[in-house]
Amino acid sequence: MQRLFRKIYYGDYGDKETGGNLHAASSSVSSESNWPLWEVFIRSKQGLDHKHVGSLHAADAQMAIENARDVYTRRQEGISIWVVESKYIHASNPDEAQSLYDPANDKVYRHPTFYELPEELKHM
Amino acid sequence: MELEKIFQDKIDNDSKIEPKDWMPDKYRQTLIRQISQHAHSEIVGMLPEGNWISRAPSLRRKATLIAKVQDEAGHGLYLYSAAETLGISRDEMIAQLHSGKAKYSSIFNYPTLTWADMGAIGWLVDGAAIINQIPLTRCSHGPYSRAMIRICKEESFHQRQGFEILLTLSKGSNEQKAMCQDAINRWWWPSMMMFGPNDDVSPHTAQSMKWKIKRFSNDELRQRFVDMCAEQIKFLGMTIPDPDLKWNESKGHHDFGPINWDEFWSVVGGNGPCNKERLEARIKAQEEGAWVREAAAAYAEKRKNRNTLKVA
C-alpha cells in the first residue's frame, strides 16, 4: 500500500521548538469523528444568486445547513442556504484562465456598444 | 528556480496565492503557524468575555456581549478553514493548542476583573486587533485575506460596543468612573504589547514583508494605535496610564513610554495570570464535548445505512 507523505514543518514557534515531520493529509481520520468538509453558498433576501461564503465540517447535510445558518447568516435575513460536500465541486484552473476564455475575447459583437445607431432612436 | 519566480511574480503583482498554487515550504509553514495561532486567539478570546455574560448589568448589555462572543467563534472558524487549505487538519491544530506547542495572542492571558473590563477590551483589544487586521485583508494568501475581509466587517461593532460601555461608565457615579479608569489602567500596556516586539528584534519581518504576509511593521502599527487612542480617550475624560505620552509636533505622532518586555516574554512563555486557566478551559470543552461529536457521527452513519437498506 502506498503511503502519501506531505511534509509540514512547524519550525520556530516562538523560536524555541524544533520542527517536526508529520505525514498528514487534510482528510486524515480523526480520533473520534470523520466529518466531511462542506462548502456553503448563501442567497440574501435581495440577492439574485447564491454566493460562496466559506466552508465548515459537519456530519451530514442537515447539520451542515444548521451550522451554516449559525455561522454565516448572523447578519442577513430571508436567506437560502446551499451546502455541497467539497469533494463534489470541480473548478477550472485560474492559471489557465487566459486560454480557457480566449474564444470569447475577440467576439466584441456580443456587446451592445459594438452597434452604431442614430442617437435619436428611442427604446433600444 | 522557475516555480519560485512565478510565485514571487504573483506576489509582486498583488495577485493572490490560492490553495492549489505552488508555494515555498517556508511560506506554507509561516502561514500555517500564523493563521492557526490567529484562529486559536479568537477561540480562547471568547473566554475572558464569556466570564461576564451572566453578570451583564442590563439585557441590552448581555445581548450585545453574547453577539460579540458569538462573532469570535465564527472568526475562529473562518481562520481554521483558511489554515486547513494549507494542508493541516483541525484535529492537529487543536492538539497543538492543547499541548502548548501553538500559541495564541497573550492578551487573553489576563483576567477580566470587573464589568468595565468588557469596555476596555472592546475599545483597546479589539481596536488593536482591527489595526492589525485591516492590512491583512490585502495579504498575498487568498483564503487568509478573504477571511480577514469578513472578520473586519464584523469587528467594527465590537469596538463601538466596548467604547460605549466605557462612555456610559465615564458619565456615571464616582465608583463607576473609578472602575472605568482602573480597567483602562490594567488593559493599556498589554494591548500595546499585542503588536509584538520592536522591529529591530523581529527577525521574521523582512521575509514576511517580501511575501506580503505582513504589510506594515510592528512599530508602525503600534504608533497608529497610540495616536488613535490618545484622541479617543478625550471623549471619556480618562487618562492613559503613561506619563510619557505626549504629542510630538515635529514627528506628527505621539511619543510614548517604554514597554515592559520582561512581562511580555514572561506571559508569552506561559507565566501570565491566566495561561493555565485558559488552556484548561479549552481542554475541558474539547473533552466534555466528545460525546456530542460521536453522537452526530453515529447518527449520520445510521441514517446513511437506513437509506442504503431502503434502496436495496
Side-chain angles (χ1 to χ4, degrees):
Chain A
M1 177 159 75
Q2 261 194 337
R3 277 204 302 179
L4 289 167
F5 279 87
R6 189 188 264 149
K7 280 195 295 186
I8 299 174
Y9 300 114
Y10 295 115
D12 50 344
Y13 278 104
D15 288 346
K16 287 192 187 113
E17 292 88 343
T18 50
N21 277 2
L22 291 177
H23 53 92
S26 51
S27 58
S28 70
V29 181
S30 67
S31 47
E32 284 150 346
S33 54
N34 205 354
W35 294 1
L37 185 67
W38 302 76
E39 300 301 327
V40 179
F41 303 82
I42 304 223
R43 181 180 59 211
S44 65
K45 204 166 168 186
Q46 308 86 352
L48 289 175
D49 34 77
H50 288 73
K51 292 189 167 60
H52 180 242
V53 292
S55 59
L56 48 79
H57 293 271
D60 59 26
Q62 187 187 359
M63 189 192 208
I65 288 180
E66 284 171 11
N67 287 349
R69 178 209 55 200
D70 289 344
V71 185
Y72 290 111
T73 70
R74 283 198 300 280
R75 288 165 173 78
Q76 290 146 291
E77 287 164 80
I79 39 74
S80 165
I81 301 176
W82 288 356
V83 293
V84 184
E85 271 192 64
S86 308
K87 66 185 187 198
Y88 291 122
I89 296 192
H90 307 272
S92 61
N93 184 347
D95 286 338
E96 288 166 10
Q98 214 173 2
S99 57
L100 186 64
Y101 303 120
D102 186 49
N105 287 346
D106 60 357
K107 296 181 175 60
V108 293
Y109 43 77
R110 288 191 173 137
H111 295 275
T113 45
F114 178 81
Y115 300 90
E116 282 199 30
L117 298 174
E119 281 200 23
E120 299 80 11
L121 191 56
K122 302 246 174 290
H123 306 301
M124 199 170 294
Chain B
M1 195 196 174
E2 185 63 24
L3 286 171
E4 183 109 29
K5 185 175 183 313
I6 294 176
F7 169 78
Q8 190 61 49
D9 282 347
K10 269 198 188 137
I11 294 194
D12 295 337
N13 292 332
D14 277 327
S15 293
K16 295 294 179 202
I17 307 295
E18 298 294 350
K20 292 215 170 87
D21 292 344
W22 181 91
M23 57 184 84
D25 278 348
K26 193 103 211 304
Y27 179 85
R28 187 187 298 275
Q29 164 206 347
T30 301
L31 277 173
I32 286 179
R33 182 183 68 171
Q34 183 167 332
I35 300 175
S36 65
Q37 293 191 158
H38 196 164
H40 296 322
S41 300
E42 298 282 356
I43 302 299
V44 175
M46 295 166 73
L47 294 169
E49 289 173 302
N51 186 26
W52 279 92
I53 288 176
S54 59
R55 292 171 291 168
S58 71
L59 185 58
R60 179 167 179 271
R61 293 293 183 211
K62 192 196 289 285
T64 52
L65 186 58
I66 289 176
K68 178 175 194 287
V69 172
Q70 272 181 333
D71 271 0
E72 311 295 7
H75 296 175
L77 171 72
Y78 311 152
L79 291 163
Y80 282 131
S81 298
E84 283 161 28
T85 67
L86 289 159
I88 183 173
S89 75
R90 182 73 60 87
D91 282 345
E92 283 173 71
M93 288 190 274
I94 307 266
Q96 285 169 356
L97 173 67
H98 292 181
S99 70
K101 182 170 184 186
K103 307 218 173 292
Y104 52 88
S105 189
S106 44
I107 187 76
F108 300 119
N109 290 318
Y110 290 86
T112 45
L113 300 176
T114 71
W115 171 253
D117 288 36
M118 297 300 101
I121 288 178
W123 176 44
L124 297 173
V125 177
D126 284 74
I130 289 172
I131 287 186
N132 226 333
Q133 287 168 178
I134 289 181
L136 285 174
T137 60
R138 294 183 302 122
C139 84
S140 56
H141 185 239
Y144 194 21
S145 75
R146 289 187 290 271
M148 293 316 310
I149 290 173
R150 199 180 173 94
I151 288 176
C152 284
K153 271 202 203 132
E154 300 184 348
E155 199 83 33
S156 47
F157 105 70
H158 298 186
Q159 202 189 12
R160 293 172 71 87
Q161 172 249 24
F163 195 79
E164 196 194 66
I165 289 175
L166 293 179
L167 195 57
T168 306
L169 289 169
S170 73
K171 296 179 182 160
S173 67
N174 288 338
E175 286 85 356
Q176 286 169 328
K177 287 179 186 169
M179 185 166 66
C180 179
Q181 182 65 62
D182 171 68
I184 294 173
N185 291 346
R186 282 181 290 103
W187 286 92
W188 174 253
W189 290 108
S191 301
M192 287 284 274
M193 293 177 200
M194 281 176 73
F195 297 94
N198 289 131
D199 294 348
D200 53 8
V201 296
S202 293
H204 299 296
T205 293
Q207 183 60 272
S208 288
M209 298 266 223
K210 182 162 188 266
W211 280 338
K212 291 192 180 162
I213 295 176
K214 202 177 173 94
R215 314 283 310 220
F216 297 97
S217 76
N218 295 352
D219 288 335
E220 276 179 278
L221 294 178
R222 193 175 359 247
Q223 183 65 66
R224 238 182 248 186
F225 177 70
V226 173
D227 291 335
M228 181 180 86
C229 294
E231 286 307 308
Q232 290 170 340
I233 201 167
K234 292 177 183 169
F235 289 87
L236 298 175
M238 300 278 152
T239 55
I240 286 180
D242 181 357
D244 297 320
L245 182 71
K246 201 180 11 258
W247 175 251
N248 183 323
E249 187 61 46
S250 56
K251 278 202 210 148
H253 289 296
H254 290 83
D255 288 332
F256 53 92
I259 290 175
N260 181 354
W261 292 113
D262 287 341
E263 179 183 330
F264 173 75
W265 290 114
S266 174
V267 175
V268 166
N271 296 319
C274 296
N275 296 52
K276 194 160 166 296
E277 178 184 324
R278 299 290 178 233
L279 219 47
E280 276 170 7
R282 288 311 313 155
I283 292 173
K284 180 166 182 258
Q286 180 77 0
E287 288 175 356
E288 290 185 359
W291 71 271
V292 178
R293 298 192 294 279
E294 285 165 27
Y299 181 65
E301 192 63 33
K302 190 165 143 183
R303 284 228 313 249
K304 199 170 69 166
N305 290 339
R306 200 185 302 155
N307 286 340
T308 317
L309 282 176
K310 257 200 223 154
V311 175

